[in-house]
Amino acid sequence: MRVSLCQGLLSGAILLNLLILYFVSRAQQQMMEKRKELGRGTRRSALPASGLGGGLGVLVGVGGDLGVGGGEGHSRGQRVTVLLREFENFENYVGDVANSFLRQRPELPFLAVADTSPYPPLLLPEGARLLVLSPSPDQPPQAHRPEFHVQTEFVLLVPDGVELEQPRAIERLIRELEGEGGGPVRLVASPVLARSAVQCLHLRVNLREWTATYSPAASGSSGSVCTALQGDAVVLIRTEDLFNLSVPLGRPLFSSLFVQTALRGWKVKLLESPCFAANHRPLFSSAHNQWKADTRLKETTGKLMRSFGLKRLLLSDGKEQWYGCSKETPRCFGTVQDDTPDYLYLDRWTPPCCLRALRETTKYVINILETSGVRYWLEGGSLLGAVRHQDIIPWDYDVDLGIYLEDIPNCDHLKNLDSGSLVDANGYVWERAVEGDFYRVQYSEANHLHVDLWPFYPRNGVMTKDTWTEHKQDVEFPEHFLQPLVPMSFAGITAYGPNNHRAFLELKFGEGVIENPQYPNPTKKRLDRSKL
């Protein structure tokens, strides 16, 4: 068989490509082996000096020398690394804390951790190290990762300004933690100054509902076991457990730590004693610095909660903190495709801030309709929510009301919308919807959470419209469902709905709709009813 010139060239090109692919693969394999060896070396020895003179992403000691977790020789044989994460650049006592621990226990590795290089620089004693978490382009990735810089079995998380007066206090914490075996208690804590300085709390984190709930925990004679702490405390945790968390050293440290441990079912045991000393209380010497610290705490808490997908905190004193949308910001989700908002694909329900906005808008709109003499009723999924939950369905993203078309001239907010939208005195936006022949009231110009108003008119005893949507529940129905309208609890108020809500809903959605909840478009995302 003859081989043509083209065939020969093609065969040569294929062979050349195979050779290139082989050598590239070998080069990549060698690079991966070198990276693994470098990672092992980072755990065993000090990092190479940085061209920035001990800048970002490195451990900086006295005189700018570099090390890992206090150095191999320093931490050999030691079981615990003392780690200080929470301090402010503008006023801190990190050096005093390090001196206190190293004076009593000079063999202990001491590590201060900061997001960026502190300014002014920290004055640390010999044996103490600073780890900067921000990566530097001239450093390997493990240089700024804390798990590479702690070689001990335990980590003792200490607050700024604390002092070690009882050298054996650390061993007491270790014994307490080891005594728990492999049970749910994975952290042990000791108060600073007095037991009253820290509160033991129960924390329930519901990611599906974007909410964390704190409540007080009972105290026992030998200590309190709970899921979160609030206040001034020293915490001991196994190094393996700490670095198995998604964000082991987030700020604020306790907020970050206990949200993650609570989700894993871990508990913390707060001892009555020993109490760690602290000469620097309060931490800040001026009202201005205290204000700066409080402002910083509020900012870091908001950033942390948003990164964890928590939009509502219910505190132990009954107060609430919100980290979601408001009247001045866009809603938490974008344009809904296929009747399935993006959060359903994340196995979450409607954010609580969005539900709050929908409730406020519903209450506002219904009040205006009632005072204007516009007859209305809960429609579609909103009626379904009223029957099931006396509220909006937990995964719904709007509210639907039916209205009598002939009553629209009674309402100043509705009767002139053909000529354009109306922003009323309270910031709500009234408009004729672009998607069809109905009206929409938005929470604000920035936040488009809304209530839809669907005009119907009677014809031969049937409520009908001139235009229809593709939603299966958008159908005609007998007017007798509205004669009379009946009061129903909905979204924190009393609203009106059809007089036979079961028959009305089954006409719209099908038999058994009340007892069998489902997402709006199960072909895209189905509700797992076993998790209800």
Side-chain angles (χ1 to χ4, degrees):
M1 180 181 69
R2 291 186 178 182
V3 178
S4 68
L5 177 61
C6 290
Q7 289 174 326
L9 291 174
L10 180 61
S11 299
I14 293 172
L15 180 61
L16 179 61
N17 281 330
L18 290 173
L19 288 171
I20 292 173
L21 181 61
Y22 169 75
F23 285 112
V24 168
S25 298
R26 283 204 58 182
Q28 289 178 335
Q29 184 178 4
Q30 290 172 355
M31 288 176 65
M32 291 296 294
E33 290 173 353
K34 287 180 180 180
R35 287 180 180 174
K36 290 179 182 178
E37 183 61 32
L38 179 60
R40 290 191 291 269
T42 305
R43 287 184 177 269
R44 295 193 299 265
S45 62
L47 292 170
S50 166
L52 298 177
L56 300 178
V58 295
L59 285 168
V60 185
V62 177
D65 60 314
L66 309 178
V68 179
E72 182 186 4
H74 197 189
S75 61
R76 185 185 293 122
Q78 296 308 313
R79 301 189 68 191
V80 60
T81 295
V82 181
L83 192 151
L84 199 164
R85 176 67 173 109
E86 292 278 11
F87 62 91
E88 299 296 343
N89 292 347
F90 51 82
E91 185 176 2
N92 64 73
Y93 302 95
V94 177
D96 291 350
V97 177
N99 273 315
S100 170
F101 277 83
L102 296 176
R103 184 168 53 248
Q104 297 281 359
R105 302 289 299 273
E107 78 283 359
L108 288 180
F110 187 98
L111 190 63
V113 179
D115 294 312
T116 58
S117 292
Y119 179 81
L122 298 178
L123 297 177
L124 296 176
E126 184 176 357
R129 294 289 187 268
L130 169 68
L131 171 64
V132 178
L133 298 178
S134 297
S136 177
D138 64 335
Q139 292 292 326
Q142 59 268 31
H144 59 89
R145 289 168 54 184
E147 62 267 30
F148 285 93
H149 304 290
V150 176
Q151 302 176 54
T152 54
E153 184 180 356
F154 300 96
V155 175
L156 187 70
L157 302 170
V158 300
D160 193 12
V162 76
E163 294 185 352
L164 179 64
E165 287 188 343
Q166 305 176 41
R168 309 307 297 176
I170 298 176
E171 278 66 30
R172 165 76 190 283
L173 293 175
I174 292 175
R175 287 196 304 271
E176 287 285 347
L177 187 54
E178 289 182 324
E180 295 294 335
V185 173
R186 308 289 278 268
L187 308 93
V188 172
S190 184
V192 174
L193 291 181
R195 172 63 178 82
S196 59
V198 59
Q199 186 179 11
C200 210
L201 302 172
H202 285 310
L203 170 59
R204 185 177 66 87
V205 181
N206 189 331
L207 291 179
R208 186 174 67 181
E209 297 181 9
W210 313 75
T211 300
T213 304
Y214 295 85
S215 58
S219 178
S221 58
S222 61
S224 304
V225 175
C226 49
T227 48
L229 300 177
Q230 179 178 299
D232 225 358
V234 170
V235 175
L236 183 76
I237 184 173
R238 286 183 174 84
T239 303
E240 181 180 7
D241 285 345
L242 178 63
F243 293 120
N244 273 331
L245 302 177
S246 301
V247 186
L249 296 176
R251 291 190 70 186
L253 182 60
F254 276 12
S255 297
S256 173
L257 181 67
F258 292 120
V259 164
Q260 296 175 87
T261 56
L263 283 167
R264 288 160 174 79
W266 299 356
K267 297 182 181 296
V268 55
K269 184 176 184 179
L270 176 63
L271 306 179
E272 299 295 320
S273 63
C275 293
F276 281 72
N279 286 333
H280 303 292
R281 291 294 184 273
L283 267 177
F284 304 104
S285 59
S286 69
H288 178 68
N289 278 357
Q290 183 65 61
W291 170 81
K292 288 171 65 176
D294 292 343
T295 301
R296 170 71 172 161
L297 176 62
K298 184 177 180 180
E299 292 173 350
T300 55
T301 301
K303 182 177 180 181
L304 176 75
M305 294 306 163
R306 282 186 282 270
S307 71
F308 282 171
L310 292 173
K311 298 179 182 290
R312 184 190 186 196
L313 301 188
L314 299 174
L315 305 182
S316 59
D317 59 4
K319 296 180 180 178
E320 293 181 323
Q321 292 179 354
W322 294 86
Y323 300 101
C325 65
S326 68
K327 211 170 179 71
E328 292 73 35
T329 66
R331 67 185 184 184
C332 297
F333 56 96
T335 301
V336 176
Q337 305 287 340
D338 301 315
D339 298 325
T340 307
D342 55 15
Y343 50 79
L344 290 185
Y345 293 108
L346 302 174
D347 290 321
R348 296 199 177 202
W349 288 351
T350 310
C353 46
C354 297
L355 290 173
R356 179 178 63 169
L358 284 173
R359 293 186 189 108
E360 289 180 14
T361 307
T362 301
K363 180 178 180 180
Y364 183 78
V365 170
I366 284 179
N367 181 62
I368 288 178
L369 295 179
E370 290 181 348
T371 56
S372 301
V374 176
R375 290 166 291 174
Y376 73 91
W377 61 94
L378 293 169
E379 258 289 354
S382 299
L383 177 61
L384 196 53
V387 173
R388 282 201 202 125
H389 313 281
Q390 294 76 55
D391 201 352
I392 300 167
I393 292 176
W395 51 83
D396 208 351
Y397 51 88
D398 64 6
V399 169
D400 293 310
L401 301 177
I403 60 174
Y404 271 86
L405 178 65
E406 64 194 75
D407 292 345
I408 288 178
N410 299 338
C411 180
D412 292 337
H413 292 75
L414 292 174
K415 64 183 180 181
N416 295 319
L417 291 183
D418 289 340
S419 58
S421 61
L422 166 70
V423 181
D424 68 19
N426 294 297
Y428 293 89
V429 181
W430 299 69
E431 62 184 7
R432 180 178 284 278
V434 297
E435 300 96 325
D437 190 16
F438 61 98
Y439 299 94
R440 175 164 290 168
V441 186
Q442 295 180 167
Y443 188 42
S444 70
E445 291 183 279
N447 191 322
H448 295 173
L449 289 160
H450 56 266
V451 172
D452 286 335
L453 305 176
W454 301 89
F456 285 81
Y457 61 90
R459 183 174 60 194
N460 301 323
V462 174
M463 298 301 292
T464 188
K465 300 189 301 178
D466 292 330
T467 61
W468 303 92
T469 68
E470 295 180 356
H471 295 119
K472 64 180 180 180
Q473 69 268 27
D474 192 21
V475 295
E476 296 178 330
F477 59 91
E479 190 180 11
H480 66 71
F481 283 113
L482 309 180
Q483 296 175 339
L485 292 166
V486 297
M488 305 181 70
S489 295
F490 180 69
I493 62 172
T494 298
Y496 284 93
N499 55 59
N500 186 341
H501 55 256
R502 175 176 291 277
F504 186 89
L505 287 170
E506 292 189 345
L507 172 67
K508 295 258 183 173
F509 293 100
E511 187 176 353
V513 64
I514 297 174
E515 294 79 16
N516 297 285
Q518 187 50 262
Y519 288 153
N521 188 348
T523 63
K524 295 296 181 180
K525 179 68 176 180
R526 292 192 65 85
L527 173 65
D528 184 355
R529 296 176 189 168
S530 66
K531 295 181 179 180
L532 291 178

